[in-house]
Amino acid sequence: MTDRESKIAVVTGAGSGIGRAVAVELLRAGWSVVLAGRRTETLEETAARAPGGPWLAVRTDVSRPGDVEALFTATVERFGRVDLLFNNAGTFGPGGVPVEDLPYEAWRHVVDTNLNGAFLCAQAAYRRMKEQDPQGGRIINNGSVSAHTPRPMSAAYTATKHALTGLTKSLSLDGRPYRIAVGQLDIGNAATDMTARMQTGALQADGRTAPEPVMDVADVARTVRHMAELPLEANVQFATVLATAMPYIGRG
């Protein structure tokens, strides 16, 4: 963080779920927030949940290099710099599809969004953070507990989240000379539209379908804010926040 009155954050996937919760948390905490997502109307709905906070909505498909460059150009034109990127945009892809039946187009869509999109946004943020004065900033990648342990029939999602961990480590190392701190938050069962099915029944490793507990997405948002508001001399490299009783640790 810097000593300036308002810090500038870019939040991707800000139109719903975790991205929306994080954007609202930062706006309420006094950040200026650039909301990125595919639908302008949902981004505006996010901003309306924290009235009065300085914000900018930019329609963005993170898998498109031109969209990402336009996002960060608009950010700097409006606010002058980038202090934080919450690299959140992502998709699970088709659920319940055995790997042998997974269409290549579906695999490619998940990779383009979750991995390529995260790289493009981090690269664009990195360029601005390296050149701005004062130099530096923070990138927080939204991983998943799937970065450690997969769910059944989730090859594309799991592969991208494992890859995101490697990207986080490389960015963290390469950012050291420029005061760019990079960390990752691995999340398990935050209550969003994406995880609504968990409460009614999710496929388990032993073939059963069983309901799973979820946690309030606001708890994720507060964790991101804590990571974001550390001084740049300190970094949460990896953190995991999950529903306490979800079947993840041990044998469930």
Side-chain angles (χ1 to χ4, degrees):
M1 298 296 289
T2 70
D3 293 331
R4 290 172 299 107
E5 202 169 297
S6 181
K7 286 75 178 180
I8 315 305
V10 176
V11 178
T12 67
S16 63
I18 291 168
R20 170 172 284 180
V22 168
V24 169
E25 177 73 17
L26 293 175
L27 283 166
R28 288 175 177 167
W31 287 68
S32 299
V33 180
V34 179
L35 310 163
R38 296 187 184 214
R39 297 172 55 203
T40 304
E41 60 270 26
T42 60
L43 300 176
E44 292 173 347
E45 290 169 6
T46 296
R49 299 191 178 205
W55 59 275
L56 174 68
V58 182
R59 186 181 180 279
T60 308
D61 180 342
V62 297
S63 70
R64 297 179 179 271
D67 279 19
V68 172
E69 185 61 25
L71 166 65
F72 284 88
T73 296
T75 299
V76 173
E77 287 178 350
R78 173 67 178 273
F79 295 113
R81 60 182 289 116
V82 182
D83 293 302
L84 171 68
L85 165 64
F86 181 46
N87 227 347
N88 167 72
T91 181
F92 192 81
V97 178
V99 65
E100 66 270 23
D101 296 327
L102 183 67
Y104 175 72
E105 293 76 13
W107 166 274
R108 182 63 184 267
H109 176 65
V110 176
V111 172
D112 281 345
T113 303
N114 295 5
L115 181 57
N116 295 343
F119 164 74
L120 289 170
C121 289
Q123 182 183 58
Y126 190 102
R127 287 170 175 160
R128 274 73 178 182
M129 291 172 178
K130 182 179 176 181
E131 298 300 326
Q132 64 196 8
D133 183 22
Q135 189 181 59
R138 189 180 304 277
I139 298 170
I140 300 173
N141 292 324
N142 182 352
S144 168
V145 294
S146 290
H148 307 276
T149 302
R151 288 186 176 277
M153 302 184 193
S154 66
Y157 184 78
T158 298
T160 59
K161 293 303 183 178
H162 275 65
L164 193 62
T165 298
L167 179 64
T168 297
K169 292 177 179 180
S170 277
L171 291 171
S172 182
L173 178 61
D174 294 344
R176 286 177 182 175
Y178 311 109
R179 299 187 76 243
I180 299 173
V182 185
Q184 180 171 314
L185 181 60
D186 296 324
I187 302 164
N189 285 13
T192 66
D193 290 343
M194 188 174 175
T195 61
R197 62 186 178 85
M198 302 295 179
Q199 298 177 73
T200 56
L203 182 63
Q204 306 297 307
D206 62 3
R208 295 180 303 117
T209 297
E212 294 186 12
V214 297
M215 63 176 170
D216 192 332
V217 71
D219 294 323
V220 175
R222 283 191 288 271
T223 305
V224 172
R225 179 184 165 193
H226 167 71
M227 295 170 70
E229 293 187 341
L230 289 170
L232 289 176
E233 290 71 26
N235 187 39
V236 175
Q237 188 67 72
F238 291 97
T240 303
V241 58
L242 46 71
T244 303
M246 71 175 290
Y248 169 66
I249 295 297
R251 299 178 184 270

